[in-house]
Amino acid sequence: MLKNIFIVLFSFFFFCFSKGQDSLQKSLEKRLVEFSNQRKEDSIKRIELENKFAGIQITSKEKESLLKELKFLKSRDSIVTKRYKDKIDSLRLINKGVPVVPFHDTLFIVYRGVGGFTMKERARSIEEKIIELAKSYDFNKDSIKVSSDENQYLIYSDEDIIASVGLQDALWENTSLDKLSDKYANVIADSIEKHRSDVSLPTLAKGTLYAILLISVVSFLIFLINKGTYWLKLKLFRNKRNILSPFTKKKFKFFNENKQIEYLWFLVGIIRWLIILILIYLAIPILFNFFPSTQGYSAVFLENLLTPLKKIARAVIDYLPNLLTITIIIIIFRLIFKFLDFISEELDSGRLTINGFYKEWTKPTYQIFKVLLLIFIMIVIFPYLPGAKSPIFQGVSVFVGILVTFGSAGALGNIMSGLMLTYTRAFSNGDYVKIGDVTGEIIERNLLVTRIRTIKNEIVSVPNSTVMNSHTTNYSTDSSNKGLIIYTEFALGYNIPIEKVHEVAKKAALKIPEIKKDPAPFVFQLRLDDFYITYQINAFITNAHNQEVIYSNLRKALVLELNEAGIEVLSPHFMAYRDGTEPQFIKKDI
């Protein structure tokens, strides 16, 4: 609905503007006719006065009166002429005229209609007459002539009127009527002559021949470029061992010869297409110039292609100071990064020590400093980036920041937990730990997750936030120095002496090779239950990673040793009803 109202209002205003312009034009024409008639009357009267002044004897008083009247007529003529020139100059802002373009070039511009014709209709009529005249087989340039008819001049050929030139046309062009009519006649004759020459059979045949020759040359050059590209790729591939070598860093090879060959081939392909496009770009304007009817398109093609390139080049040149600033900033921070690399390597190798700073803190601390420096670099460089001050660029930056903030909430929590775990030194890679319900060896620890290999060779990934919220037991921290105590429980009856139980349990523990003799194993009485005593055997080991196997061997040795000592093993889940029979023992042959 609003769209229709807007269209109606726009049409109404355009109609009013057109009507207003037409009314101004008609009013000016009417005044020019009056001005022309007035000039005629003034000219006749001036001639009469000049004849009267020269032909009879007059007194000095009459002579002075005639001179005043002649001077008045001349001044009125110049004043009226200036007035109408001023009116036309004021109309130039709203009346741009209609060009007469019968072929490719503009011959002249008409600024007024004639009779019942508007400006556009008058221009189209002149174009049609010129085109029709150019089609005439026996056209002669000298056949176009000019004749005067009252207040206008007529341009015609063999009694066919091509155009009329009036006083108002002369005022629009700031020239005299006779000069303007001669100019129009010469322009029309020259354009017809040129057009007939351009579309002649010899000209077209010559242009076609040159076009075929140019296309052949360009095709041959493209063929040579393709052949040269293929030869260069083959040469690079055959000599890759001699001219290329892989990049190495700390005995690690990357970016090998094959990968380098792929990138070189890609670069050669880009250069090939660039040369072909430049060749075609240079050939198209030349091809257009072979035919007179398309010569104008050559300049248009070049302009449309060069204008964006000029804008890009200008933008690059204008951006050079900012680019230089960014380059200097990057160089400075690059030196800072190299200094941090050096300090990190020294701390990691142990050549440099700082009191209170542990070796395992080196890499995470380096990564923290690196991230903070990168963020600081982006803050410093951001104002110098192209379009950084544009609202669109700033809006996109804010939008991306919001996405990163909400999308990485969980990841940031894991990262902070990972940092806390690093600086609290809860465990290290290779430690044997228990996190929640997972027990195994730490094989990887990063800012997001901790990976554990269980005794079943399962790799369990635990998010660092889960690790922080769980109880962590580290079996390896003091196992090599103070030893790790392993323990297991067993139950025996009240009728068995406690000293004998201690002796048998310690003897069973010492039969395990991994259990240390010093400190010696020891036994606790944990509970005095209704029917039995629950004991706990404790022993020291140094290999925490193998504790599951040691536990199994200790339980086995304990059962066998109690059996050897003639002690009946009662489980907490086993009840014996005694009827006076002999005690039951485990048979050796079972």
Side-chain angles (χ1 to χ4, degrees):
M1 184 65 182
L2 291 175
K3 182 179 179 181
N4 295 332
I5 293 174
F6 175 77
I7 293 173
V8 171
L9 290 175
F10 179 78
S11 303
F12 175 74
F13 286 126
F14 182 77
F15 175 77
C16 293
F17 175 77
S18 301
K19 286 295 183 182
Q21 187 176 355
D22 291 341
S23 63
L24 286 173
Q25 191 77 11
K26 290 180 180 179
S27 175
L28 182 61
E29 288 181 0
K30 184 178 179 181
R31 292 187 180 186
L32 280 174
V33 172
E34 294 174 357
F35 165 64
S36 180
N37 294 332
Q38 183 67 43
R39 287 189 67 186
K40 278 186 178 181
E41 293 176 2
D42 291 345
S43 298
I44 293 172
K45 191 172 182 179
R46 190 168 62 233
I47 291 171
E48 291 176 354
L49 290 173
E50 288 175 351
N51 291 335
K52 185 177 179 180
F53 182 80
I56 60 174
Q57 297 294 328
I58 56 175
T59 63
S60 60
K61 189 175 181 180
E62 291 176 342
K63 183 176 181 181
E64 184 178 353
S65 176
L66 289 174
L67 288 173
K68 286 183 179 179
E69 191 171 357
L70 285 171
K71 187 176 180 181
F72 170 73
L73 291 174
K74 290 181 179 179
S75 64
R76 185 169 68 177
D77 187 14
S78 61
I79 290 172
V80 173
T81 303
K82 185 178 183 304
R83 184 184 304 162
Y84 282 99
K85 282 185 177 180
D86 292 340
K87 286 185 176 293
I88 287 174
D89 290 338
S90 65
L91 283 174
R92 292 184 193 277
L93 298 174
I94 57 175
N95 185 5
K96 301 301 180 181
V98 179
V100 177
V101 190
F103 306 115
H104 301 288
D105 300 326
T106 300
L107 302 186
F108 50 87
I109 298 175
V110 295
Y111 294 94
R112 70 183 185 95
V114 175
F117 288 90
T118 63
M119 287 187 294
K120 288 185 178 180
E121 291 172 345
R122 181 188 178 194
R124 298 294 86 82
S125 175
I126 296 173
E127 290 175 0
E128 291 173 359
K129 291 176 181 179
I130 293 174
I131 293 172
E132 190 66 28
L133 190 60
K135 294 179 181 178
S136 178
Y137 180 75
D138 56 349
F139 170 78
N140 187 359
K141 183 179 179 181
D142 297 331
S143 64
I144 296 179
K145 299 178 180 179
V146 179
S147 65
S148 61
D149 181 17
E150 295 184 358
N151 296 326
Q152 64 181 357
Y153 279 71
L154 300 178
I155 301 173
Y156 65 94
S157 175
D158 295 335
E159 300 181 356
D160 293 329
I161 297 175
I162 301 173
S164 62
V165 183
L167 182 59
Q168 189 175 349
D169 295 317
L171 290 175
W172 275 101
E173 296 289 349
N174 289 323
T175 185
S176 62
L177 188 56
D178 55 345
K179 289 182 179 179
L180 183 63
S181 58
D182 290 338
K183 176 184 175 183
Y184 282 3
N186 292 330
V187 168
I188 291 172
D190 292 340
S191 67
I192 294 175
E193 190 76 16
K194 184 176 182 300
H195 175 71
R196 288 171 63 85
S197 174
D198 291 343
V199 298
S200 63
L201 187 60
T203 303
L204 294 177
K206 183 179 178 181
T208 304
L209 182 63
Y210 285 158
I212 293 173
L213 181 61
L214 177 64
I215 293 173
S216 300
V217 171
V218 171
S219 300
F220 180 70
L221 290 176
I222 292 175
F223 172 77
L224 291 179
I225 292 170
N226 291 331
K227 282 291 186 182
T229 303
Y230 176 78
W231 176 84
L232 182 59
K233 287 183 177 180
L234 189 62
K235 195 77 172 176
L236 288 171
F237 182 77
R238 289 177 177 175
N239 297 281
K240 64 180 180 180
R241 301 289 183 185
N242 299 328
I243 61 178
L244 300 174
S245 60
F247 292 91
T248 59
K249 187 174 182 180
K250 295 182 179 179
K251 298 182 180 180
F252 177 74
K253 293 184 178 181
F254 60 98
F255 203 51
N256 56 24
E257 294 92 344
N258 293 330
K259 184 61 69 175
Q260 293 180 47
I261 284 291
E262 290 181 11
Y263 283 107
L264 286 175
W265 282 5
F266 179 74
L267 180 62
V268 170
I270 291 177
I271 295 173
R272 176 175 72 93
W273 278 109
L274 187 62
I275 294 173
I276 291 174
L277 290 175
I278 293 174
L279 186 62
I280 295 174
Y281 164 74
L282 296 175
I284 289 177
I286 299 173
L287 184 64
F288 284 158
N289 284 326
F290 288 155
F291 301 94
S293 58
T294 59
Q295 286 179 351
Y297 297 114
S298 175
V300 174
F301 176 79
L302 290 175
E303 182 179 0
N304 292 337
L305 190 61
L306 290 177
T307 299
L309 296 177
K310 288 179 181 178
K311 290 182 178 179
I312 294 173
R314 174 57 59 186
V316 171
I317 292 172
D318 294 340
Y319 186 67
L320 285 178
N322 289 343
L323 184 62
L324 180 61
T325 303
I326 292 173
T327 304
I328 294 173
I329 293 172
I330 291 175
I331 291 173
I332 292 172
F333 279 95
R334 180 67 178 169
L335 295 175
I336 295 174
F337 279 129
K338 284 187 173 295
F339 176 73
L340 289 178
D341 286 338
F342 170 75
I343 297 296
S344 174
E345 290 178 1
E346 293 296 309
L347 288 171
D348 195 42
S349 62
R351 292 189 293 269
L352 176 65
T353 57
I354 300 175
N355 292 333
F357 189 89
Y358 296 96
K359 183 178 178 181
E360 57 265 26
W361 291 356
T362 302
K363 289 184 178 179
T365 304
Y366 170 72
Q367 295 298 330
I368 292 172
F369 273 101
K370 191 173 182 180
V371 170
L372 292 176
L373 280 175
L374 288 174
I375 294 173
F376 185 69
I377 290 172
M378 291 303 300
I379 294 173
V380 174
I381 290 177
F382 184 83
Y384 299 100
L385 294 177
K389 297 181 180 179
S390 65
I392 296 177
F393 190 88
Q394 294 174 353
V396 171
S397 301
V398 172
F399 179 70
V400 172
I402 292 173
L403 287 180
V404 171
T405 301
F406 286 100
S408 60
L412 289 175
N414 286 324
I415 290 173
M416 295 304 297
S417 299
L419 292 175
M420 291 292 294
L421 291 172
T422 299
Y423 288 102
T424 56
R425 305 178 68 215
F427 46 78
S428 304
N429 287 346
D431 286 354
Y432 200 81
V433 299
K434 180 180 181 181
I435 300 175
D437 296 330
V438 182
T439 303
E441 179 186 357
I442 301 293
I443 60 172
E444 182 184 354
R445 184 186 59 176
N446 54 46
L447 291 178
L448 294 175
V449 297
T450 299
R451 291 188 171 85
I452 303 173
R453 186 196 307 276
T454 68
I455 194 173
K456 306 296 185 182
N457 244 5
E458 300 165 336
I459 307 299
V460 181
S461 297
V462 184
N464 286 333
S465 58
T466 303
V467 177
M468 284 295 296
N469 294 326
S470 303
H471 294 289
T472 302
T473 304
N474 192 331
Y475 299 108
S476 302
T477 303
D478 288 333
S479 62
S480 58
N481 298 325
K482 296 182 179 180
L484 174 67
I485 298 176
I486 64 170
Y487 53 90
T488 188
E489 298 177 6
F490 59 96
L492 295 175
Y494 283 97
N495 59 330
I496 302 173
I498 293 177
E499 292 78 6
K500 187 175 183 180
V501 173
H502 284 208
E503 180 184 353
V504 172
K506 292 177 183 179
K507 184 178 178 181
L510 291 174
K511 286 187 175 182
I512 309 302
E514 292 85 358
I515 292 179
K516 297 176 66 176
K517 294 181 173 58
D518 185 21
F522 57 92
V523 181
F524 288 150
Q525 290 72 235
L526 295 183
R527 292 182 303 277
L528 299 176
D529 296 313
D530 292 338
F531 306 103
Y532 48 81
I533 300 174
T534 301
Y535 297 91
Q536 183 187 74
I537 175 65
N538 297 266
F540 291 85
I541 63 171
T542 56
N543 186 7
H545 294 74
N546 203 27
Q547 59 178 296
E548 300 293 340
V549 177
I550 298 174
Y551 267 114
S552 177
N553 292 335
L554 176 60
R555 294 185 185 107
K556 177 182 176 182
L558 188 60
V559 171
L560 294 176
E561 195 64 30
L562 289 172
N563 189 35
E564 288 287 340
I567 299 174
E568 184 180 13
V569 180
L570 295 179
S571 171
H573 302 288
F574 174 81
M575 295 183 64
Y577 295 94
R578 309 311 299 255
D579 56 358
T581 61
E582 295 296 326
Q584 301 296 318
F585 304 105
I586 297 175
K587 307 296 183 181
K588 291 185 178 182
D589 57 348
I590 294 178

